[in-house]
Amino acid sequence: MSSQLIKNNFRMDRLPHIWCPGCGHGIIMRSMAQAIQNLGLDKQKVCIVSGIGCSSRAPGYMDFNTLHTTHGRALAFATGVKLANPELKVIVVTGDGDCSAIGGNHLIHTARRNIDITTIVFNNNIYGMTGGQYSPTTPTNDFGTTAPFGNIDKAFDICKLVDGAGATYVARGTAYHVNQLTKIIEKAISNIGFSLVDAISICPTYYGRKNKKGTAVQMMNYLKDSAVDTKVAEKLPPEKLENKFFIGEFKNTTEPEYTEEYMKIIKKYQKER
Amino acid sequence: MKNRKVKLMQGNEACVEGALAAGMKFYAGYPITPSTEIAEICSQKLPLVGGKFIQMEDEIAGMAATIGGSLAGLKSMTATSGPGFSLKQENIGYAALAEVPCVIVDVQRAGPSTGLPTAPSQGDIMQAKWGTHGDHPVIALSPTSVKETFDLTVKCFNLSEKYRTPVMLMLDEIVGHMREKIEIPEADEIEIYDRKKPTQDEVDTYKAYRVNEGEIVPAMASFGEGFHFHVTGLMHDEFGFPSNDADTADKLLRRIMNKISDNVDDIVMFEEEFMEDAEMVVLAYGGTYRSARSAVKKARAMGLKVGLFKAITIWPFREKRVIEIAKDQKKILVPELNLGQYVLEVERIVAGKTEVHSLGKVNGEAITPDEILAKIREVL
Amino acid sequence: MVNQKEIRLSGSGGQGLILGGIILAEAAILDGNNAIQSQSYGPEARGGASKAEVIISNEAIDYPKVDKADLLLALTEVAYKKYIKTLKEDGILIVDSSVNIEDKNPSYKVMQIPILDTAFEKMGKGMVANIVALGVIREVTNVVSAESLEKAVLNRVPRGTEELNKKALMEGYLLASNRD
């Protein structure tokens, strides 16, 4: 039996989705739908844009204006959509490889412009669609099919990256902490400017198996045990923060928004009709 | 008597004027010589008509945002030159498969690689046809003058809207950068074609990629108009949803190829002069056509029976007419600013029915009329 | 009868020769003729020898580039040396008086005129040298009408400099006619 949430926000004839059993992406996708519904957005004015990869299949299942683009370029396509029609609420669904490797340039520049686009990164620390290669968020020393002797790259902290680049709302959630994730996505969408939610997912099929992380349930337990809310973290001694990662809101500010600034130019210079 | 404005204008500027006349409301691009004037003028003029300009972080993003702008309902254009044209290719293929109308201007410069950034070339002619991977529909036009740049930019928009496909304007540095006299037509003299949209009573039955009876392409809704459809670069069914089904893929690709090949008569433009008694034809396009015309006139003055064929639409190729020329046993000479690209297509079509000669030049300078004349005398 | 004149304006970057070429072409169009203006771009346009080319014709112009010029304007020695080879044998060379002419017995006509001196010293505004030169060229060749040239100059120069530029044109006319 499908819930009302699913019936109202998904293309029922497109389900079930293609994701593997135990994958965290479905939870994040549902959380997005919940956030959109909680905000009472007009479905016809929501445009969900994605790139390529496991995460990027999400828009196909969601009953909105949806655009599945090329690898890494979702934010650039989304920028075109948003600037052409600023009435649309534009949400980008992307993965860790899609947005921080091949699309890294678009990520920092979209953040820099502070254009009103909400980006949800389905971050599973691996290239899943192509079969488990290491990504820019694969931790050092972990394994991937292209890191058979351990990964010697350092991992990106995507939140710090876009914070530095000029995003005005930055937060992290996980597929385990669903209620918090939904709240964060709501706030990200409500922010007028560039928002990014680093949504930590799990990939039991590739990342989990390669790195002996156990079953999907064990990986979920890892999220539960290792995530520390950033507000709580401030009060904890350093030894309690070893091997932990932070979730919650990192940045929530207001800066001039790109399309609003552009509309000011039009208003000032557009010739009388 | 129309009160047309007569102006001295640069080719790149005429491109923008043509785009605005055609209804362009969105431009996304990245600076690159020798196309940069197009971006500069768009940045100045688009807000004046309520349109949008954005300078993106790179060439790829320029193409991506152009497609996004079109999907949101605005007539969209980007401009670039050789290296940028290479970078845009993947997303040009996306626009072809997802059937998103848009115009890509390539002001060709000498390559490969960074090459000679300020020197003219026609080295991207084959890239215009084969640049993106996979079979895909292609329409490309190449202007020979500032006036024609205006007219063909309008035509590019019309063709892209009518056939729901990316259309390329293959300018070259010669035409893009020279200033010449142009009479700007009045707005009511310019034919404009706007994409066909579904009607509001089709909201519940709309299939984004179904071709209705008697139509060439599917009706195109914009995001935000109530149709909430899906667009993808994967092979897709009539709803626009991804499909791995062999028949669906085959049907889709053949449909988007056939919409061009079935309408060649509507798409292809060419002009001929001095053809009647010609024993030889110079087939030229873009900036080089002007050298060819000068050479043919000189040859005629010398009593040589030479005709002139101007290819305005580069892709698709005007096969029917060129086969006729070959059957008439007229020799064909193709001068071009590369080492022989378009001539390959001529040779393929002619298939040995007549002699085909190539005159190529890649030193960054225009082919002179005297160089073409010398080749004419050698061939005849 | 086709009457086509091909003109090459040369000097150093910053002397306003490209604007000069644009003005000359625009004047020709105002006269009802055809004209094409082109120029060098990139590193060549920034320092060193700079050039602008103009073709004026009463018929359609096919080949848009100037090969051998009917008239060469050279405001600097570097430009003179670089482009003198591209002047027609029976062409006209208008050269600034500061330039040292090597060829003592040329087939082309040489007119040494103090264009830069007139702009810098007499008018106190070096930036109008291009307009002085246009005045000289008009007076020598009659390739555009005085009326159209003045109109084209006023169309293209910055606001507030109209009177200065009209005066520069007059100085050019005087320089040319005083020679005869």
Side-chain angles (χ1 to χ4, degrees):
Chain A
M1 283 292 284
S2 310
S3 70
Q4 275 312 112
L5 178 76
I6 304 297
K7 280 183 185 154
N8 290 344
N9 294 286
F10 288 84
R11 292 168 171 146
M12 299 298 288
D13 55 340
R14 304 304 304 164
L15 296 171
H17 58 62
I18 63 163
W19 295 317
C20 307
C23 173
H25 284 9
I27 298 169
I28 300 169
M29 178 170 75
R30 189 184 192 283
S31 196
M32 276 177 63
Q34 185 72 60
I36 291 169
Q37 183 165 299
N38 291 352
L39 290 169
L41 299 182
D42 175 0
K43 156 189 282 207
Q44 300 299 348
K45 299 293 176 193
V46 173
C47 183
I48 305 177
V49 184
S50 67
I52 294 292
C54 294
S55 63
S56 293
R57 290 305 185 96
Y61 308 124
M62 303 185 77
D63 197 22
F64 301 89
N65 300 285
T66 52
L67 175 58
H68 179 214
T69 71
T70 49
H71 196 21
R73 318 304 171 196
L75 284 163
F77 278 79
T79 297
V81 170
K82 178 68 187 180
L83 180 60
N85 184 358
E87 265 187 24
L88 295 171
K89 266 285 167 200
V90 178
I91 301 168
V92 166
V93 173
T94 180
D96 38 304
D98 194 49
C99 87
S100 72
I102 190 167
N105 198 29
H106 311 308
L107 179 67
I108 57 175
H109 287 278
T110 315
R112 177 177 63 83
R113 289 185 195 105
N114 194 36
I115 187 167
D116 186 22
I117 292 172
T118 299
T119 298
I120 316 292
V121 185
F122 289 33
N123 186 348
N124 59 5
N125 313 100
I126 205 87
Y127 285 94
M129 187 70 88
T130 47
Q133 299 75 32
Y134 69 98
S135 87
T137 64
T138 304
T140 309
N141 298 325
D142 274 7
F143 296 93
T145 58
T146 48
F149 311 114
N151 174 27
I152 58 170
D153 283 20
K154 280 204 280 183
F156 260 143
D157 179 328
I158 293 175
C159 290
K160 284 185 180 164
L161 182 67
V162 296
D163 181 345
T168 45
Y169 184 90
V170 182
R172 181 179 290 126
T174 84
Y176 177 81
H177 305 82
V178 180
N179 291 337
Q180 184 197 29
L181 180 64
T182 304
K183 272 275 159 270
I184 285 172
I185 295 174
E186 275 179 47
K187 288 179 81 172
I189 294 172
S190 302
N191 174 49
I192 307 297
F194 184 79
S195 309
L196 182 134
V197 175
D198 187 14
I200 306 298
S201 185
I202 57 167
C203 175
T205 303
Y206 291 111
Y207 178 77
R209 203 180 289 166
K210 267 275 167 204
N211 291 287
K212 302 195 168 51
K213 299 288 183 187
T215 63
V217 174
Q218 284 172 304
M219 291 182 78
M220 276 294 184
N221 275 325
Y222 167 80
L223 294 183
K224 178 182 145 196
D225 296 337
S226 305
V228 179
D229 195 284
T230 174
K231 283 193 197 117
V232 178
E234 287 164 13
K235 293 164 196 152
L236 291 177
E239 62 270 21
K240 292 241 175 185
L241 297 176
E242 264 177 49
N243 298 319
K244 306 283 184 190
F245 68 90
F246 302 126
I247 59 174
E249 212 172 77
F250 302 120
K251 191 179 185 185
N252 187 357
T253 57
T254 306
E255 298 276 347
E257 191 276 326
Y258 190 86
T259 60
E260 286 181 1
E261 293 303 302
Y262 200 92
M263 291 314 288
K264 283 183 199 165
I265 292 178
I266 291 182
K267 210 172 161 198
K268 190 167 172 193
Y269 293 101
Q270 184 168 14
K271 286 178 183 157
E272 299 289 320
R273 295 194 170 230
Chain B
M1 175 78 184
K2 288 280 178 186
N3 182 29
R4 298 196 188 102
K5 276 182 276 184
V6 177
K7 283 186 167 179
L8 179 74
M9 195 179 276
Q10 203 177 37
N12 283 348
E13 192 182 352
C15 172
V16 179
E17 292 298 332
L20 290 167
M24 171 184 62
K25 284 286 177 338
F26 189 91
Y27 180 100
Y30 186 80
I32 184 165
T33 304
S35 77
T36 308
E37 292 86 0
I38 296 175
E40 288 173 343
I41 300 167
C42 282
S43 74
Q44 198 194 7
K45 296 212 163 175
L46 273 169
L48 308 187
V49 296
K52 318 281 174 64
F53 166 90
I54 186 166
Q55 181 171 310
M56 295 300 287
E57 54 274 15
D58 59 31
E59 294 280 0
I60 297 170
M63 189 65 230
T66 299
I67 296 170
S70 182
L71 285 165
L74 303 186
K75 287 189 183 178
S76 303
M77 180 171 93
T78 188
T80 188
S81 183
F85 194 51
S86 296
L87 286 165
K88 284 178 172 4
Q89 291 299 333
E90 185 195 7
N91 284 335
I92 292 174
Y94 183 94
L97 184 65
E99 297 181 86
V100 184
C102 53
V103 175
I104 302 108
V105 182
D106 176 16
V107 189
Q108 297 168 86
R109 71 187 218 191
S113 191
T114 311
L116 292 165
T118 59
S121 163
Q122 296 174 310
D124 305 350
I125 290 303
M126 279 296 176
Q127 192 182 13
K129 183 158 173 63
W130 299 112
T132 198
H133 56 283
D135 289 299
H136 53 276
V138 178
I139 301 177
L141 313 182
S142 189
T144 65
S145 69
V146 171
K147 172 71 168 85
E148 210 171 57
T149 302
F150 180 97
D151 294 342
L152 293 191
T153 307
V154 174
K155 191 81 186 173
C156 282
F157 274 95
N158 288 347
L159 290 170
S160 77
E161 294 282 315
K162 187 170 182 180
Y163 294 101
R164 281 194 64 173
T165 197
V167 175
M168 295 172 239
L169 185 76
M170 303 305 287
L171 264 167
D172 51 57
E173 197 274 342
I174 298 173
V175 180
H177 266 169
M178 74 185 188
R179 288 184 178 81
E180 154 172 69
K181 180 161 125 178
I182 175 173
E183 262 182 62
I184 302 273
E186 296 279 295
D188 61 7
E189 296 176 86
I190 301 169
E191 191 192 335
I192 307 287
Y193 191 100
D194 295 326
R195 66 188 71 170
K196 285 217 174 101
K197 288 172 169 268
T199 56
Q200 280 299 325
D201 52 341
E202 290 173 81
V203 163
D204 296 325
T205 57
Y206 179 60
K207 291 183 184 174
Y209 289 91
R210 178 184 57 197
V211 183
N212 288 328
E213 197 66 28
E215 300 291 341
I216 303 168
V217 295
M220 184 175 174
S222 305
F223 286 151
E225 291 179 334
F227 295 87
H228 67 286
F229 54 100
H230 187 60
V231 178
T232 179
L234 289 164
M235 290 294 175
H236 45 270
D237 58 22
E238 286 190 330
F239 291 93
F241 293 122
S243 170
N244 284 332
D245 177 63
D247 286 341
T248 303
D250 184 77
K251 205 174 137 196
L252 172 62
L253 191 58
R254 288 182 191 278
R255 176 173 69 72
I256 64 172
M257 296 302 281
N258 291 344
K259 72 183 176 185
I260 305 303
S261 55
D262 290 348
N263 292 287
V264 167
D265 288 341
D266 180 50
I267 297 165
V268 171
M269 294 173 289
F270 65 96
E271 284 172 15
E272 293 179 340
E273 276 184 287
F274 316 111
M275 288 296 269
E276 244 167 51
D277 61 343
E279 291 164 8
M280 173 184 177
V281 176
V282 181
L283 188 154
Y285 57 93
T288 301
Y289 162 79
R290 301 178 70 121
S291 309
R293 189 165 191 270
S294 177
V296 168
K297 278 160 64 178
K298 284 183 182 183
R300 282 279 165 184
M302 295 163 71
L304 300 171
K305 292 179 176 169
V306 184
L308 182 63
F309 183 102
K310 171 160 83 171
I312 300 170
T313 307
I314 302 297
W315 305 114
F317 192 88
R318 192 17 139 196
E319 302 197 9
K320 227 162 51 183
R321 179 61 190 137
V322 174
I323 289 170
E324 283 168 16
I325 292 171
K327 280 188 181 155
D328 286 348
Q329 295 297 306
K330 299 184 201 302
K331 296 173 182 177
I332 301 174
L333 169 64
V334 185
E336 51 190 333
L337 284 175
N338 54 54
L339 289 178
Q341 294 192 14
Y342 208 49
V343 71
L344 295 175
E345 190 70 0
V346 176
E347 282 170 352
R348 186 183 72 78
I349 306 296
V350 164
K353 288 183 197 71
T354 188
E355 278 179 37
V356 178
H357 296 268
S358 171
L359 175 62
K361 192 171 179 180
V362 288
N363 67 351
E365 291 172 359
I367 300 178
T368 66
D370 286 346
E371 286 168 336
I372 297 175
L373 185 61
K375 187 75 184 178
I376 289 170
R377 298 178 73 176
E378 181 192 314
V379 170
L380 268 184
Chain C
M1 170 77 194
V2 182
N3 186 5
Q4 183 158 319
K5 282 273 177 286
E6 308 197 357
I7 297 166
R8 179 168 282 125
L9 311 178
S10 70
S12 65
Q15 286 181 324
L17 293 166
I18 289 165
L19 179 62
I22 292 170
I23 290 171
L24 196 58
E26 190 159 272
I29 285 170
L30 290 172
D31 283 336
N33 285 319
N34 286 307
I36 287 185
Q37 182 272 335
S38 60
Q39 65 215 51
S40 48
Y41 274 86
E44 201 188 344
R46 299 185 183 95
S50 158
K51 70 169 160 80
E53 295 168 347
V54 181
I55 303 175
I56 296 171
S57 177
N58 60 346
E59 296 270 335
I61 301 164
D62 291 321
Y63 184 57
K65 304 275 181 187
V66 172
D67 182 19
K68 291 277 184 185
D70 297 292
L71 183 143
L72 173 68
L73 169 77
L75 290 183
T76 65
E77 190 135 341
V78 174
Y80 159 72
K81 283 183 176 161
K82 183 162 180 187
Y83 295 115
I84 189 63
K85 296 182 290 289
T86 65
L87 180 63
K88 278 183 188 162
E89 280 182 18
D90 59 347
I92 302 171
L93 171 68
I94 298 177
V95 66
D96 189 72
S97 305
S98 62
V99 175
N100 183 35
I101 304 289
E102 290 163 344
D103 197 342
K104 296 300 170 201
N105 193 16
S107 62
Y108 48 83
K109 183 176 172 188
V110 180
M111 301 177 77
Q112 272 192 298
I113 297 179
I115 294 168
L116 297 179
D117 209 47
T118 302
F120 279 92
E121 301 303 327
K122 191 167 177 193
M123 300 192 63
K125 296 275 181 193
M127 65 180 186
V128 296
N130 57 347
I131 306 297
V132 175
L134 289 184
V136 173
I137 291 169
R138 198 226 80 77
E139 206 62 14
V140 171
T141 61
N142 223 9
V143 73
V144 293
S145 69
E147 188 197 357
S148 294
L149 184 57
E150 184 178 306
K151 213 165 155 188
V153 167
L154 298 182
N155 276 348
R156 295 274 179 174
V157 296
R159 233 179 258 170
T161 66
E162 290 90 344
E163 286 309 311
L164 175 69
N165 280 292
K166 268 160 90 170
K167 195 156 170 274
L169 265 186
M170 293 310 296
E171 290 292 344
Y173 295 158
L174 282 174
L175 282 175
S177 51
N178 286 349
R179 281 184 50 89
D180 294 333

